[in-house]
C-alpha cells in the first residue's frame, strides 16, 4: 500500500515539475511582451502629451530639462568646472530631482557618468555631499580628479592621517566652508559613532545637503554583491531628515530595486533607468582550453593580433592567475602588470597610474580592480574565468569603450571554472542562482548575447537590434539547431555517479564535476567527444537532473555532483538538449557513418551507435 502511495506521489511530483518548466518558459516570453507593451504605452502617452502641448515650447519631460531656478548655474558649472559640453543621458534629470529634494535611484551603465549626478549638485548647493562608496580605489581616483578641478574633497578611512581627519571634521561642521564632497565606506558609517555625530552637527548647521550611495545594489540581499554593512544605511533617512538620498548603480533588476528602496526607506524615490545596451561593445564567448598554459597562450595571441598596442583589461579569478598571466603576456612582448588585493598600496597605485598613462598596455587583475576609473580608451576586456553573475560581467566588461568607439568583451568559459566559482559563492543567499544565470548566458550558443542580458535585466530586445555585435549573431552557420535526445548519455552520467557512491561501503564515494567529466568522456569515447560531455554536464546541472553538493574541509569548500531533483522523478522518455549539428560531438568514425548512411539505413546506424554508447570501460 505504501509503495503504491509513493509511486502515485512521485508521478504527481513529476507532473508538477513538467508544469513548472512550461511556466518558466512562458514567464520569459511574457516578460518580453510586457516590456514591449509598457514601452509602447509610454510612447503613446508621450505622443498624447506632445499633441496636448504642440503650441507650447515647454519640454514635456518633468525632470530632464532646463528651466529650473538652478539650470543656468548648473550648465555653467558643467562647462567651466567639469569642462564638459553637455549632459549625458539621465544626468540632468537626476541632478534636477535631488536639487528639488526628491529621493532618486539612478541606473546607468558603467561609463554612463554616475559620479556627475552627485558631484555637480555638491557645487550647486554650496554645501556638503556625503558619498557612501565601497570602493576605496574608486574614491581615491575621484578625489584626485576633483582636486585637479579645484574642488575640495576628501575621504575618511583607516589610512587617513589625524591632521586630515581633523581638517575634514572641522570643515563639515562649518556652514561657510568650501569643502564639498566627503567619501566614506559603509563600514565607516556603521562602526564610527564619531562620524555620525559630526554628520548630525553638519545637518544642524545647515551644511549637509545630499547623501549619495554608490553601488546601491549592495543594499539588497537579492543583489549580486550584498554587503552586510550596507544594512546600516537604513538609518540615514530617519537620522538626516530633509536630506535627499541618491542611489546609484549600473545594474538592478526590479526585485533588487524594490528591495533597495524599502531598505533605505525611500519607497517613493524617483527611478531613472537607462537601457542596458551599449551598441559599441561586441560580446564574445570562447571555449577555454583545457590547460592554463594553452589558454594564456591564446589570450596573448588575441591581444597581439587583434589589439596590438591598444589598452585593455584581463580579469582573473585569483592573484596567482593574475601574476602568471601577466608574466606570460610580458614574454610575448605585451606591456602588462598584475593588480590584486594582496599587493602593497604603493604597488597597486603604481600599476594603476602606469596603466592610466599608457605605460602599461594591459592590466591583469582580480575584481579588486573594480574602480570604474575614467579611462575612456579601453579597447578590450577579457575574462579569463567566468564571473559570479551577469551583473558582475556587465559591470566589468562595461569598462571597455567608454569613449563610445568600438570595443570587444571576451569571456573564456569551461566547466571546471563553474565549480571553482560555485564553491566560493554557495554561501550567499542568491550566489548559486546568480552564477547559474551567467552560466546559461555563456553556454547558450544559439541565443543573441544581448537577448540573454535583456531577459535578465527585464528589457525587451530583438536579435536584429544587435547588428551582429555578438558572436552568436555574427556567426554565419548553416547548422540547424535541433532538440537532441540525450537520455542515454544522461543515464550513463548518473550511473557513474551512483557507481562511485556505492564503491565505498559508507557511501562516501562522492565525485567532483571534473572527475565526472573525465569518466564520462572515457565512457563515451567511441561516440561523443569531450566537448559534448562538458556541454551535457552543464545542461544537466542547469536543468536540475544533476546538482552540486558542497562539503567543507579545514581549508576549503569542495563541490561534488549528485543526482538532482528532476532525475529523482524521471520515469524514462526523452531528455531534449538543444544542439547545433556541429555540437553533437560525434567521433570521426561515427560522423563518417552518418554522412555515408542513406535514409534507408539511418535506423541501423543509430542502433550501432547505441551499442557503442553502452560499452563498458
Amino acid at each position: 500500500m505504501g509503495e503504491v502511495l509513493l509511486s502515485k506521489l512521485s508521478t504527481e511530483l513529476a507532473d508538477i515539475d513538467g508544469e513548472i518548466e512550461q511556466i518558466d518558459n512562458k514567464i520569459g516570453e511574457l516578460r518580453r511582451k510586457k516590456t514591449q507593451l509598457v514601452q509602447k504605452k509610454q510612447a503613446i502617452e508621450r505622443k498624447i502629451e506632445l499633441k496636448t502641448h504642440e503650441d507650447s515650447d515647454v519640454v514635456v519631460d518633468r525632470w530632464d530639462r532646463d528651466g529650473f531656478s538652478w539650470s543656468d548655474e548648473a550648465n555653467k558649472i558643467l562647462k567651466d568646472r567639469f569642462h564638459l559640453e553637455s549632459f549625458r543621458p539621465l544626468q540632468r534629470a537626476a541632478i534636477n530631482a535631488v536639487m528639488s529634494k526628491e529621493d532618486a535611484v539612478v541606473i546607468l551603465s558603467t561609463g554612463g557618468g554616475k559620479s556627475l549626478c552627485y558631484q555637480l549638485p555638491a557645487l550647486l548647493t554650496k554645501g556638503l555631499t556625503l558619498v557612501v562608496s565601497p570602493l576605496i580605489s574608486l574614491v581615491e581616483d575621484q578625489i584626485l580628479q576633483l582636486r585637479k578641478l579645484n574642488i575640495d574633497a576628501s575621504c575618511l578611512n583607516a589610512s587617513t592621517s589625524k591632521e586630515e581627519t581633523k581638517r575634514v571634521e572641522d570643515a563639515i561642521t562649518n556652514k561657510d566652508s568650501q569643502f564639498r564632497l566627503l567619501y566614506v565606506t559603509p563600514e565607516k558609517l556603521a562602526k564610527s559613532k564619531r562620524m555620525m555625530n559630526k554628520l548630525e552637527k553638519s545637518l544642524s548647521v545647515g551644511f549637509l545637503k545630499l547623501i549619495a550611495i554608490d553601488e546601491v545594489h549592495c543594499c539588497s540581499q537579492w543583489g549580486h554583491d550584498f554587503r552586510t554593512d550596507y544594512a546600516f544605511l537604513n538609518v540615514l533617512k530617519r537620522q538626516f531628515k530633509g536630506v535627499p538620498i541618491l542611489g546609484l548603480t549600473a545594474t538592478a533588476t526590479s526585485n533588487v530595486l524594490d528591495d533597495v528602496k524599502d531598505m533605505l526607506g525611500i519607497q517613493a524615490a524617483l527611478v531613472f533607468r537607462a537601457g542596458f545596451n551599449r551598441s559599441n561593445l561586441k560580446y564574445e564567448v570562447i571555449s577555454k582550453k583545457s590547460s592554463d598554459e594553452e589558454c594564456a597562450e591564446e589570450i596573448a595571441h588575441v591581444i597581439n593580433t587583434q589589439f596590438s598596442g591598444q589598452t585593455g583589461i584581463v580579469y582573473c579569478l585569483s592573484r596567482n592567475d593574475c601574476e602568471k598571466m601577466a608574466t606570460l603576456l610580458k614574454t610575448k612582448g605585451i606591456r602588462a602588470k598584475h593588480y590584486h588585493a594582496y599587493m602593497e598600496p604603493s604597488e597597486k597605485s603604481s600599476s594603476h597610474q602606469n596603466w592610466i598613462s599608457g605605460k602599461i598596455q594591459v592590466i591583469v587583475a582580480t575584481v579588486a580592480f573594480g574602480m570604474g576609473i575614467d579611462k575612456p580608451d579601453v579597447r578590450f576586456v577579457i575574462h579569463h574565468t567566468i564571473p559570479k553573475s551577469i551583473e558582475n560581467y556587465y559591470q566589468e566588461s562595461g569598462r571597455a569603450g567608454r569613449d563610445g568607439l568600438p570595443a570587444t568583451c571576451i569571456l573564456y568559459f569551461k566547466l571546471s571554472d563553474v565549480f571553482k566559482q560555485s564553491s566560493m559563492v554557495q554561501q550567499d543567499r542568491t550566489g548559486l542562482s546568480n552564477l547559474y544565470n551567467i552560466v546559461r548566458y555563456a553556454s547558450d550558443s544559439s541565443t543573441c548575447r544581448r537577448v540573454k542580458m535583456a531577459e535578465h535585466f527585464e528589457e525587451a530586445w530583438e536579435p536584429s537590434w544587435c547588428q551582429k555585435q555578438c558572436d552568436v549573431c555574427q556567426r554565419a552557420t548553416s547548422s540547424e539547431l535541433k532538440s537532441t535526445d540525450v537520455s542515454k548519455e544522461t543515464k550513463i552520467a548518473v550511473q557513474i555517479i551512483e557507481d562511485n557512491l556505492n564503491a565505498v561501503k559508507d557511501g562516501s564515494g562522492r565525485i567532483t564535476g571534473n572527475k565526472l567529466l573525465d569518466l564520462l568522456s572515457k565512457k563515451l569515447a567511441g561516440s561523443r567527444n569531450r566537448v559534448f560531455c562538458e556541454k551535457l554536464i552543464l545542461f544537466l546541472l542547469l536543468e536540475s537532473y544533476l546538482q552540486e553538493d558542497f562539503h567543507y574541509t579545514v581549508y576549503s569548500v569542495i563541490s561534488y555532483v549528485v543526482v538532482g531533483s528532476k532525475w529523482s522523478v524521471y520515469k524514462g522518455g526523452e531528455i531534449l538538449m538543444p544542439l547545433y549539428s556541429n555540437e553533437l560531438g560525434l567521433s570521426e568514425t561515427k560522423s563518417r557513418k552518418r554522412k555515408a548512411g542513406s535514409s534507408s539505413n539511418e535506423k541501423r546506424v543509430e542502433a550501432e551507435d547505441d551499442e557503442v554508447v553502452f560499452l563498458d570501460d
Side-chain angles (χ1 to χ4, degrees), residues 391-449:
E391 286 91 346
N392 282 90
Y393 182 62
Y394 180 74
Q395 286 186 313
E396 291 156 15
S397 62
R399 293 179 180 120
R402 292 176 64 166
D403 54 7
L405 298 176
T408 303
C409 309
I410 300 174
L411 170 59
Y412 282 88
F413 175 67
K414 69 176 180 178
L415 178 66
S416 59
D417 287 343
V418 176
F419 301 122
K420 285 181 184 178
Q421 279 284 21
S422 65
S423 298
M424 298 170 64
V425 304
Q426 50 83 29
Q427 76 279 3
D428 297 336
R429 184 175 182 178
T430 57
L432 276 181
S433 62
N434 287 337
L435 175 62
Y436 285 0
N437 279 338
I438 184 66
V439 171
R440 286 186 179 90
Y441 166 89
S443 60
D444 189 340
S445 58
S446 62
T447 306
C448 168
R449 303 295 177 194

Side-chain angles (χ1 to χ4, degrees), residues 176-191:
D176 297 321
S177 170
Q178 295 302 306
F179 190 86
R180 290 294 174 257
L181 290 120
L182 172 61
Y183 291 80
V184 297
T185 62
E187 291 81 6
K188 178 71 173 178
L189 285 182
K191 296 173 183 177

Side-chain angles (χ1 to χ4, degrees), residues 223-375:
H224 61 283
D225 247 342
F226 172 66
R227 300 197 181 198
T228 53
D229 282 301
Y230 266 78
F232 176 80
L233 303 184
N234 71 83
V235 308
L236 296 180
K237 195 62 185 174
R238 301 192 303 271
Q239 204 73 16
F240 304 107
K241 292 180 175 63
V243 178
I245 291 179
L246 174 65
L248 306 109
T249 181
T251 57
T253 62
S254 57
N255 283 340
V256 171
L257 183 60
D258 290 342
D259 199 26
V260 164
K261 290 163 70 176
D262 185 59
M263 197 281 278
L264 292 175
I266 55 172
Q267 289 87 346
L270 299 166
V271 177
F272 301 104
R273 182 195 290 272
F276 80 95
N277 183 47
R278 297 199 34 214
S279 58
N280 64 312
L281 300 187
K282 180 182 178 183
Y283 295 98
E284 298 180 28
V285 177
I286 297 176
S287 181
K288 191 173 177 180
K289 302 294 185 183
S290 56
S291 74
D292 290 339
E293 289 74 18
E294 287 178 311
C295 182
E297 287 281 352
E298 182 173 335
I299 290 175
H301 177 72
V302 167
I303 293 173
N304 275 325
T305 56
Q306 296 184 35
F307 308 107
S308 179
Q310 296 180 315
T311 297
I313 306 172
V314 176
Y315 279 109
C316 298
L317 182 63
S318 69
R319 56 175 172 168
N320 290 334
D321 289 341
C322 286
E323 293 176 4
K324 185 176 181 180
M325 178 64 68
T327 298
L328 181 98
L329 294 180
K330 283 188 280 190
T331 65
K332 301 296 181 181
I334 299 170
R335 290 172 285 111
K337 179 67 177 176
H338 62 269
Y339 185 108
H340 55 69
Y342 294 91
M343 294 166 62
E344 292 295 324
S346 59
E347 190 179 3
K348 284 196 288 187
S349 179
S350 174
S351 295
H352 173 206
Q353 292 303 321
N354 285 335
W355 182 70
I356 290 289
S357 66
K359 292 180 181 178
I360 293 173
Q361 178 191 357
V362 179
I363 198 86
V364 185
T366 61
V367 291
F369 191 71
M371 54 188 67
I373 40 74
D374 188 18
K375 185 167 176 58

